[in-house]
Amino acid sequence: MATPRRLPLTRVALSYIYGTVVLAVLAFVSSAAYDTYSFRKLPAHAAAAVSRCRSLHLTPGPSPYFHDRKQSDRFVPGTKPTLLKNAKIWTGQENGTEVIHADILLDKGLIKGIGHVSHATVKQYKDDLVVIDLKHAWVTPGIVDLHSHLGDDSSPELNGASDGNSFKGPIQPWLRALDGLNTHDESYRLSISGGVTTALVLPGSANAIGGQGFTIKLRKTAERSPTSMLLEPPYQINSSFPQLEERPRWRQMKHACGENPSSVYGFTRMDTVWAFREAYNKARQIKESQDLYCANVEAGRWEALTETPYPEDLQWEALVDVLRGRVKVQIHCYETVDIDDIVRLSNEFQFPIAAFHHAHEAYLVPDVIKKAYDHPPAVAMFATNARYKREAYRGSEFAPRILAQNGLNVVMKSDHPVLDSRHLLYEAQQAYVYGLPENLAIAAVTSTPAETMGMGHRIGYIKEGWDADIVVWDSHPLALGATPKQVFIDGIPQLESPYGVRKPLAFQQTPKVPNYDKEARDALKYEGLPPLAPTKAEAGVVLFTNVKSVFTRANGAVQEAFVAQDDEPGVVIVENGSVLCAGMHASCVTPALFASAEIVDTRGGSVAPGFTTYGAPLGLEEIAQEPSTNDGYVYDPLIAPVPSILGGDEAIVRAVDGLQYGGRDMLLAYRAGVTTGITAPSHGRFYAGLSTSFSTGALHKLDKGAVIQEVNAVHVTVRHFGSAPSISTQIAALRRLLLEPGKGASGKWFKDVSEGKVTLVVDTDSADVIATLILLKKEVEEKQGSTVKLTISGALEAHILAKEIAEAGVGIVQVPSRPFPTTWERLRILPGHPLTEQSSIALLLEHNVTVGIGIEESWSARNTRFDIAWAALDAGGDISKAQALALGSTNVETLLGGEVEIENLRELVVTEGGDLLDMESKIVAIISPRRKLVDLL
């Protein structure tokens, strides 16, 4: 199976050759010295000086004989060889276009062979060989995360394990992420379960130069130490100034520009760039001193070095290595101005950049990026995570495709725990949906980051001789919800008893995706801010043709109202925003109507209820980190007295009074089928106020139908907020509000809650708090003789009490839909496949709990349809499409106090090329009975 290779030189031979070179240099130097100073002895440090200077010319990377290795340096003795038969393999070769059907042999921590494994080879292993028939499952290299803080920004977040940033100064190249790497982080097993095998752990972005990053493999080791997780650690981890006899290994360095260092240190961008230049000038001075020293060594001018040690400084040696091209510089940089600054910096001090990270405006200035010193950097980005701060405001979902079209390498990254790296593949899937080619989308989380971090010689590909880091998937890697069936790291299977569900056959094929060419052109035309306001249909009657299915609201649920026959799709007729007919063409369409209507061909599309989003302050904020664009936080009487002008501690605030319309996240959500938002007043602690529901498509509050319901529910939060107020204090406050409501405004609303007239929504995750709330609900009901309408939002530990929650009649809005143990209160999550048999949503539904799903940040509202489709897939067919649609529509509305009597006024979403839960579908229209119109998108 292997191509014969020249045998590697032994270490003895290499040492002999190296010694010969050193002696030759010394002989030359001695000769030069003898000509000038006869019989003068060489200084004692001459050999060391020659060796040190010689090492400066060594370039980083693997040995020329690296692929002659017979076993990995990470091989664990006792690991059984494994033969994976009948695999469909994305190899990463041929620019990511090569897919082969073959067997894969794993042994000694390496990929030993790809192809047909002979009977003779199998026989050599005797009974040690583990044989697995993959039955044509998709196989890729392990997922590689180029930007992670896993282990440094630990999960759950605890004060004793927060090591992502130092705040001791803006320039700190001497710091090392390795020194804070927590091996007990809950994220390792979770990320592995998503197929992540390798991660570059970087310092945070508080500082202009934050320190050195380190590449790790995520599997547990027998040593249990951070050092044992490292992949090709640089020699400096065990020696301040190592004497190199072979090529150095790549080092990693984190830089950051823009808002982060500015906000931490009160800098302007001018200050930050000067800090960079000052630091690099210091490093350049040291480098030039070293070069001068070595010029004297090489010329044999020992008299100039008599009392002169080799110039070096432990604080600055890493930055000197940057100037020598031995460090992969990873730069957190968003805006054009910052990218341009750093490109000029790289040319001024002549150092290459490995990648710009985040880089939300990179797609607008590809030619600027190409001007960077030595070679164009890669761009590592999110798929749709944008607009959370000013420098991310022009971020576009079309950035990956545009950058690729301009010949730049595209990497999708997690910035874990900003995004859970377990779902890093989802970033590639979204990039693919919006136009990044299939080959580059998979490469963006495998081979491209591997090459960018300098590890492409051993990871990121399925090639003979590469590390045995492999993922077996239950579907095509770019199919939504693709889940590992098994993950191998160094040839060791990581999932002990993986769970899964059988996916539809179509999920084994390359997913079809919509055409977004026009939208991508507009992103460039309008410099990241294309118009998002919908266009109202001109005709009073709109005829939607080639409709395959229609779903509608009925009695607080979603039902399938129409399914077309394969050979005869249906139609939907809408007049002034109301559906007149949904069915077969012959029964709905008259010649006169056909002649006067505006016709929209859905090409096998669907009509379904619009989604409702909750959990983020959508409608109350435009840019989360810019206070002037937000409504702000309410006063909390549990923390400090409320001003008397508001009514003192009896005041209660209505979110409807702070609504702001026409925001980009709101309109993007609308264009993605999320037609209603529900939001509570923004708050930082216990007390929130009264939520409201609103149209995401309205442009101002006076638009018809802009406010759907002025007051939905009463909201409080019960969580750990530090030392005070305690959980028990918050429960005591809630008990008093419910059992002894005051006479002011808040008393009226909490009295209505206790009497079962208004819904109470409590935001919490802890199963212990949820249990206490169930007991409090019973206590209030016994006193009032009522049924309290209680909904828990957040609820990531609710699955522990699924039976009790169902019996108590409590509803759940899970936020987020894919749980992650961000805090201690979220530690006991039910992660779902492949780690657990069920997801938390599926388990709650099994117990007949009414469940909705929500979001944490406004930018993600647009992805609601993918969240719902994914949750339905995880349920393994146990819920119907109508039930799945309800998770993001009627269930959310009911749980958050929506008025059932207005359900016939709710919007419907029209999709083209599939239904609302299909990746290949595109939203083309919104039918609004409330506003008496059809918006064309």
Side-chain angles (χ1 to χ4, degrees):
M1 295 180 60
T3 302
R5 295 193 183 93
R6 178 161 53 88
L7 291 174
L9 290 174
T10 64
R11 288 195 173 274
V12 173
L14 286 171
S15 298
Y16 174 78
I17 293 171
Y18 170 69
T20 302
V21 171
V22 172
L23 288 173
V25 172
L26 285 174
F28 171 78
V29 172
S30 299
S31 175
Y34 180 82
D35 288 343
T36 307
Y37 304 101
S38 298
F39 305 106
R40 180 176 178 179
K41 291 185 178 180
L42 292 176
H45 68 282
V50 170
S51 174
R52 187 62 178 273
C53 292
R54 175 184 174 275
S55 72
L56 297 183
H57 301 292
L58 298 174
T59 57
S63 158
Y65 311 112
F66 180 81
H67 290 121
D68 290 320
R69 58 183 181 157
K70 299 303 179 185
Q71 74 175 39
S72 170
D73 53 330
R74 295 181 52 80
F75 171 64
V76 176
T79 302
K80 288 193 173 185
T82 301
L83 177 61
L84 304 175
K85 295 181 66 66
N86 300 314
K88 186 187 293 185
I89 308 166
W90 185 90
T91 67
Q93 300 189 76
E94 303 296 331
N95 196 32
T97 62
E98 183 182 72
V99 176
I100 61 176
H101 298 260
D103 303 337
I104 309 173
L105 179 62
L106 312 179
D107 189 22
K108 305 295 184 185
L110 303 176
I111 299 171
K112 287 288 188 175
I114 304 170
H116 174 70
V117 180
S118 68
H119 180 69
T121 300
V122 172
K123 198 172 181 180
Q124 290 176 2
Y125 286 101
K126 299 181 180 179
D127 295 332
D128 287 338
L129 186 65
V130 177
V131 180
I132 303 173
D133 186 355
L134 298 185
K135 299 178 181 178
H136 310 292
W138 279 93
V139 175
T140 69
I143 301 297
V144 180
D145 193 353
L146 187 67
H147 187 138
S148 179
H149 305 290
L150 195 159
D152 278 6
D153 281 338
S154 290
S155 304
E157 180 182 337
L158 295 168
N159 291 339
S162 181
D163 293 289
N165 284 294
S166 168
F167 299 97
K168 303 299 183 182
I171 303 295
Q172 302 189 76
W174 46 85
L175 299 184
R176 307 185 301 184
L178 172 64
D179 297 329
L181 194 67
N182 173 18
T183 58
H184 302 297
D185 195 317
E186 286 291 310
S187 297
Y188 293 116
R189 71 182 185 97
L190 294 171
S191 295
I192 288 171
S193 76
V196 181
T197 57
T198 304
L200 173 55
V201 178
L202 296 167
S205 53
N207 302 316
I209 301 180
Q212 301 161 47
F214 289 81
T215 304
I216 65 169
K217 290 206 182 181
L218 272 61
R219 69 169 176 85
K220 289 183 177 180
T221 66
E223 188 178 297
R224 299 175 180 169
S225 69
T227 302
S228 65
M229 301 176 73
L230 297 178
L231 180 62
E232 293 195 1
Y235 298 117
Q236 286 83 356
I237 68 164
N238 289 315
S239 174
S240 299
F241 306 107
Q243 298 292 326
L244 299 178
E245 298 182 6
E246 56 189 55
R247 297 182 71 185
R249 292 169 172 173
W250 280 110
R251 305 175 75 180
Q252 310 285 337
M253 179 77 73
K254 176 70 178 292
H255 288 7
C257 52
E259 293 185 29
N260 281 28
S262 292
S263 63
V264 170
Y265 294 103
F267 278 7
T268 65
R269 281 177 166 80
M270 295 183 289
D271 295 316
T272 301
V273 174
W274 170 246
F276 273 123
R277 295 181 68 215
E278 187 176 42
Y280 270 104
N281 189 54
K282 171 71 173 178
R284 181 168 60 184
Q285 291 171 353
I286 296 172
K287 176 182 178 294
E288 289 173 349
S289 297
Q290 292 174 349
D291 292 343
L292 177 61
Y293 180 95
C294 288
N296 286 327
V297 168
E298 291 167 1
R301 293 191 289 267
W302 297 105
E303 73 283 357
L305 307 174
T306 304
E307 302 295 330
T308 306
Y310 181 79
E312 53 195 359
D313 187 321
L314 185 59
Q315 276 194 305
W316 297 100
E317 61 84 22
L319 207 59
V320 174
D321 257 6
V322 171
L323 297 181
R324 296 198 180 281
R326 294 178 166 188
V327 181
K328 296 288 188 179
V329 180
Q330 314 288 347
I331 303 185
H332 159 122
C333 217
Y334 283 76
E335 283 191 90
T336 298
V337 59
D338 301 314
I339 293 170
D340 188 59
D341 287 342
I342 296 298
V343 166
R344 286 188 283 103
L345 184 76
S346 77
N347 284 300
E348 180 181 1
F349 293 96
Q350 298 188 340
F351 65 91
I353 300 168
F356 282 113
H357 292 240
H358 304 306
H360 282 63
E361 291 189 14
Y363 72 101
L364 297 174
V365 289
D367 291 337
V368 173
I369 292 172
K370 291 177 183 179
K371 292 180 180 178
Y373 178 77
D374 189 63
H375 67 270
V379 182
M381 66 189 77
F382 300 127
T384 55
N385 184 0
R387 294 169 298 282
Y388 46 88
K389 55 181 174 177
R390 181 194 158 283
E391 61 188 7
Y393 194 62
R394 294 176 187 264
S396 172
E397 62 271 34
F398 306 110
R401 67 178 279 173
I402 293 170
L403 288 164
Q405 288 166 352
N406 281 274
L408 293 170
N409 289 328
V410 173
V411 174
M412 309 310 296
K413 48 81 176 159
S414 74
D415 196 10
H416 182 97
V418 173
L419 296 183
D420 179 2
S421 64
R422 177 187 178 191
H423 304 304
L424 178 53
L425 184 63
Y426 178 45
E427 296 300 293
Q429 292 165 355
Q430 293 174 84
Y432 171 66
V433 166
Y434 294 111
L436 186 65
E438 175 187 6
N439 59 313
L440 300 182
I442 303 176
V445 291
T446 53
S447 55
T448 307
E451 294 288 357
T452 303
M453 66 171 60
M455 296 291 178
H457 58 282
R458 64 183 298 167
I459 62 172
Y461 299 88
I462 296 183
K463 297 171 68 174
E464 188 175 333
W466 265 245
D467 287 14
D469 296 350
I470 283 177
V471 184
V472 182
W473 300 96
D474 66 357
S475 50
H476 188 287
L478 295 180
L480 182 68
T483 301
K485 300 172 75 172
Q486 187 53 270
V487 179
F488 294 88
I489 302 180
D490 301 320
I492 304 171
Q494 299 297 302
L495 305 177
E496 291 184 10
S497 302
Y499 296 93
V501 296
R502 184 179 294 275
K503 299 284 180 71
L505 186 60
F507 278 65
Q508 303 304 322
Q509 308 302 317
T510 302
K512 297 178 182 179
V513 293
N515 185 311
Y516 286 106
D517 291 349
K518 179 184 182 301
E519 290 86 345
R521 289 193 299 269
D522 283 349
L524 288 174
K525 177 181 177 180
Y526 294 98
E527 297 191 3
L529 301 176
L532 297 175
T535 302
K536 180 182 176 182
E538 294 181 359
V541 177
V542 181
L543 171 60
F544 295 98
T545 63
N546 291 315
V547 177
K548 280 196 172 181
S549 61
V550 176
F551 296 86
T552 59
R553 286 177 169 85
N555 302 317
V558 176
Q559 65 179 14
E560 189 174 65
F562 168 78
V563 179
Q565 303 302 314
D566 291 338
D567 57 346
E568 190 178 358
V571 298
V572 173
I573 300 172
V574 180
E575 183 175 16
N576 296 324
S578 296
V579 175
L580 299 183
C581 186
M584 307 309 293
H585 188 281
S587 61
C588 289
V589 181
T590 65
L593 183 145
F594 190 82
S596 62
E598 185 169 351
I599 299 173
V600 178
D601 184 355
T602 71
R603 297 179 175 86
S606 179
V607 177
F611 291 130
T612 296
T613 185
Y614 170 76
L618 188 72
L620 295 177
E621 71 173 18
E622 178 65 358
I623 304 173
Q625 296 182 30
E626 290 288 344
S628 66
T629 73
N630 305 332
D631 181 50
Y633 281 4
V634 300
Y635 291 101
D636 190 333
L638 196 56
I639 305 301
V642 177
S644 59
I645 194 172
L646 288 176
D649 291 353
E650 293 291 327
I652 193 164
V653 173
R654 307 188 319 161
V656 68
D657 297 328
L659 285 177
Q660 51 194 52
Y661 289 83
R664 300 196 70 79
D665 283 325
M666 188 184 291
L667 290 175
L668 284 167
Y670 186 70
R671 300 176 76 90
V674 180
T675 58
T676 301
I678 299 177
T679 188
S682 297
H683 57 289
R685 297 294 175 98
F686 167 76
Y687 205 65
L690 306 177
S691 59
T692 187
S693 55
F694 57 92
S695 168
T696 57
L699 298 181
H700 57 78
K701 191 180 288 187
L702 300 183
D703 260 356
K704 186 176 180 62
V707 176
I708 297 171
Q709 190 172 325
E710 287 197 355
V711 174
N712 272 61
V714 175
H715 292 250
V716 298
T717 293
V718 179
R719 291 187 180 277
H720 288 282
F721 298 116
S723 58
S726 67
I727 292 289
S728 51
T729 299
Q730 295 169 62
I731 294 293
L734 182 58
R735 177 181 286 109
R736 183 175 181 277
L737 287 168
L738 292 172
L739 294 178
E740 302 174 29
K743 295 181 180 180
S746 67
K748 181 264 182 192
W749 284 102
F750 279 98
K751 184 173 185 294
D752 285 349
V753 168
S754 66
E755 293 176 354
K757 298 175 183 178
V758 174
T759 299
L760 174 65
V761 180
V762 182
D763 183 54
T764 192
D765 285 303
S766 166
D768 301 303
V769 174
I770 294 171
T772 301
L773 291 171
I774 290 173
L775 294 173
L776 178 58
K777 178 179 185 291
K778 291 178 179 177
E779 182 181 347
V780 174
E781 289 173 340
E782 288 174 0
K783 179 177 180 180
Q784 297 292 342
S786 61
T787 300
V788 173
K789 293 187 285 188
L790 174 63
T791 294
I792 307 295
S793 68
L796 293 192
E797 290 190 352
H799 63 94
I800 297 171
L801 300 169
K803 176 176 174 291
E804 291 79 7
I805 288 170
E807 291 172 348
V810 174
I812 298 294
V813 179
Q814 183 170 304
V815 183
S817 60
R818 293 179 294 280
F820 179 72
T822 314
T823 63
W824 190 262
E825 296 165 301
R826 294 178 164 187
L827 183 61
R828 296 175 289 180
I829 62 169
L830 194 66
H833 305 145
L835 294 178
T836 58
E837 186 173 5
Q838 290 180 296
S839 68
S840 50
I841 290 175
L843 181 61
L844 290 165
L845 290 173
E846 184 182 85
H847 283 80
N848 295 315
V849 176
T850 301
V851 179
I853 67 170
I855 61 170
E856 292 184 295
E857 297 180 81
S858 297
W859 62 265
S860 63
R862 64 179 304 168
N863 295 328
T864 298
R865 69 189 190 109
F866 294 146
D867 294 340
I868 293 165
W870 199 335
L873 283 168
D874 282 348
D878 289 342
I879 62 175
S880 67
K881 185 154 288 188
Q883 290 171 315
L885 291 168
L887 290 174
S889 58
T890 53
N891 287 11
V892 177
E893 294 152 12
T894 300
L895 291 169
L896 299 176
E899 297 172 357
V900 176
E901 59 267 25
I902 64 172
E903 68 177 13
N904 290 330
L905 297 178
R906 300 280 186 178
E907 281 83 2
L908 294 169
V909 176
V910 183
T911 53
E912 174 188 272
D915 66 42
L916 195 50
L917 303 185
D918 292 336
M919 285 182 74
E920 64 186 280
S921 71
K922 185 178 184 180
I923 289 86
V924 294
I926 306 293
I927 301 169
S928 179
R930 181 183 299 105
R931 294 188 288 149
K932 301 184 184 304
L933 55 78
V934 173
D935 277 331
L936 301 179
L937 306 174

